[in-house]
Amino acid sequence: MRVIGVDSSTQSCKVVVRDADTGALLATGRAKHPDGTEVDPQAWWSALETAIAQAGGTTGVDAVAIGGQQHGMVVLDAQGRVIRPALLWNDTRSAGAAADLIDEVGAADYAERTGVVPVASFTATKLRWLRDHEPDNAAGVAAVALPHDWLTWRLRGYGPAGESRLGPDLTQLVTDRSDASGTAYFSAEAEGYDRALLIGALGHDAALPRVLGPGEAVPGDGFLVGAGAGDNAAAALGLDARPGDVVISLGTSGTVFAATDRGVHDVTGTVAGFADATGGFLPLVCTLNAARVLDAMALVLGVSHDELGELALAAEPGAGGVVLVPYFEGERTPNLPGATGSLTGLTLANSTRENFARAAIEGMLCGLAAGLDAIRDLGVEARRVLLIGGAAANPAVQAIAAQVFDLPVQVPVPGEYVADGAARQAAWALTGQRPTWPVALAAAPAPDVKAQIRQQYALAAAHYR
């Protein structure tokens, strides 16, 4: 039996084909997405078709599931047509709308009812922006979907008349609880939509995708289609994360998310109380500044990433007192959108290339360690860190992570974990059992906690309060 897992991310569409029993990788495909913070969803559909074709097509495939970028707003009219380009998670024009929704409902009520407090990323804030700035478009909204919902619908054969095999049946839109939990109008604990919050955002009610369970499936064109998932939940499933596991992803932005059996409510909005793709929960913290911090310092020092790591390992823990607070793009956690980065603690003796390189890595990781603290402060158990993302492959990042995080650090072999999670979900829908495919490790640095790294970072970051 063969299954397909899809990662429809901001930048591209990645496809993996795996053996449903063993998890063995059989084929892959990839296609690029357009740049920008608003995109015509048709580009995602074209990329999905291309990537699946590269991977050998769907002939002989038994099940498919799609993981996708969270929060994006896809609005459809009664004929199933996309009304306007989708606003993506990284489109910040709805920041004012988020503040308006919080003023109207209250942060505490939002956290209690949905597990999240609105920010510009979430779907509800984008719907309020649409209502306020494009009222004619808002009035025509018959259904609201997320990127993976809409792609699943199209993959099953639905869509506008003349463009699809089965036509515009909006009742056939489906989603999963992980992606729905990022809308700010769904309660993962109550397992249902909060229609009053949807209406408060959009101005009227609309059709919403039916929420499928973790192993549930719907018919496709000769194959089963799984529920799909938001990208972080799919990555957690791809890593086979279980309660006690914390995943820290070092991408363009940084994310910290933990597998847990219970929901969390953080009225400050620091921790988003998302659901996961297995029936549990995935409290998550996001930082804006992660791997790009290393890009910036490598550029300043005129070195490659490998050379940056070598310089960092030649310095002592704590970088001789040099501290980089890396808020180069402002920051989301803590909520400091107008902040800039700072390099402090400089003396003639410690102003070396080695210390600057180490300070960059320590600063990046300390920001994420603060996110881990925020999740644990809500009572979430944490027993190990799974470090993923491109920057996690750097030996210096691995070694310094073991000094920053006070938990065992493991680095899985680099892979397409979002697509792998979707493939696991497809296999789950096919067999009725959550797969236990093995996850190989690239490194497991010995714990070597150096408390002074976090201590001096906390002192430097305190100046931003």
Side-chain angles (χ1 to χ4, degrees), residues 165-258:
R165 181 172 55 87
L166 298 176
D169 187 347
L170 299 179
T171 68
Q172 292 298 319
L173 284 164
V174 295
T175 191
D176 88 306
R177 58 197 294 279
S178 76
D179 222 1
S181 69
T183 60
Y185 48 78
F186 177 83
S187 169
E189 291 180 286
E191 298 286 354
Y193 291 110
D194 191 319
R195 292 279 176 176
L197 293 179
L198 171 68
I199 294 168
L202 179 60
H204 62 86
D205 206 355
L208 295 173
R210 179 165 63 94
V211 181
L212 301 180
E216 196 173 349
V218 287
D221 188 7
F223 47 83
L224 293 176
V225 180
D231 50 5
N232 292 303
L237 183 55
L239 291 162
D240 200 28
R242 307 281 176 156
D245 290 337
V246 177
V247 180
I248 296 183
S249 178
L250 304 176
T252 301
S253 60
T255 50
V256 183
F257 47 94

Side-chain angles (χ1 to χ4, degrees), residues 142-398:
V144 182
L146 301 170
H148 109 256
D149 310 342
W150 183 81
L151 285 169
T152 298
W153 190 61
R154 293 303 313 270
L155 182 67
R156 295 176 61 209
Y158 297 98
E163 300 178 22
S164 61
R165 181 172 55 87
L166 298 176
D169 187 347
L170 299 179
T171 68
Q172 292 298 319
L173 284 164
V174 295
T175 191
D176 88 306
R177 58 197 294 279
S178 76
D179 222 1
S181 69
T183 60
Y185 48 78
F186 177 83
S187 169
E189 291 180 286
E191 298 286 354
Y193 291 110
D194 191 319
R195 292 279 176 176
L197 293 179
L198 171 68
I199 294 168
L202 179 60
H204 62 86
D205 206 355
L208 295 173
R210 179 165 63 94
V211 181
L212 301 180
E216 196 173 349
V218 287
D221 188 7
F223 47 83
L224 293 176
V225 180
D231 50 5
N232 292 303
L237 183 55
L239 291 162
D240 200 28
R242 307 281 176 156
D245 290 337
V246 177
V247 180
I248 296 183
S249 178
L250 304 176
T252 301
S253 60
T255 50
V256 183
F257 47 94
T260 181
D261 291 329
R262 66 174 188 84
V264 302
H265 305 94
D266 182 5
V267 69
T268 71
T270 299
V271 180
F274 295 148
D276 76 355
T278 72
F281 296 87
L282 200 76
L284 181 146
V285 172
C286 180
T287 67
L288 292 181
N289 299 279
R292 288 184 297 180
V293 175
L294 308 189
D295 294 340
M297 188 57 75
L299 182 63
V300 168
L301 296 177
V303 297
S304 68
H305 277 249
D306 288 344
E307 292 167 332
L308 183 78
E310 292 168 1
L311 285 170
L313 290 177
E316 293 295 320
V322 178
V323 181
L324 176 67
V325 180
Y327 298 161
F328 293 138
E329 298 292 331
E331 191 46 85
R332 173 172 166 179
T333 307
N335 185 23
L336 297 168
T340 57
S342 64
L343 190 65
T344 61
L346 301 182
T347 68
L348 289 176
N350 68 14
S351 296
T352 67
R353 301 171 78 238
E354 291 81 3
N355 283 334
F356 291 167
R358 177 174 269 273
I361 297 175
E362 290 181 350
M364 175 187 70
L365 293 174
C366 282
L368 292 162
L372 174 55
D373 288 346
I375 289 174
R376 290 196 289 190
D377 286 346
L378 296 174
V380 176
E381 181 184 18
R383 293 195 296 268
R384 67 167 176 167
V385 167
L386 295 170
L387 196 65
I388 64 172
N394 190 309
V397 172
Q398 297 170 6

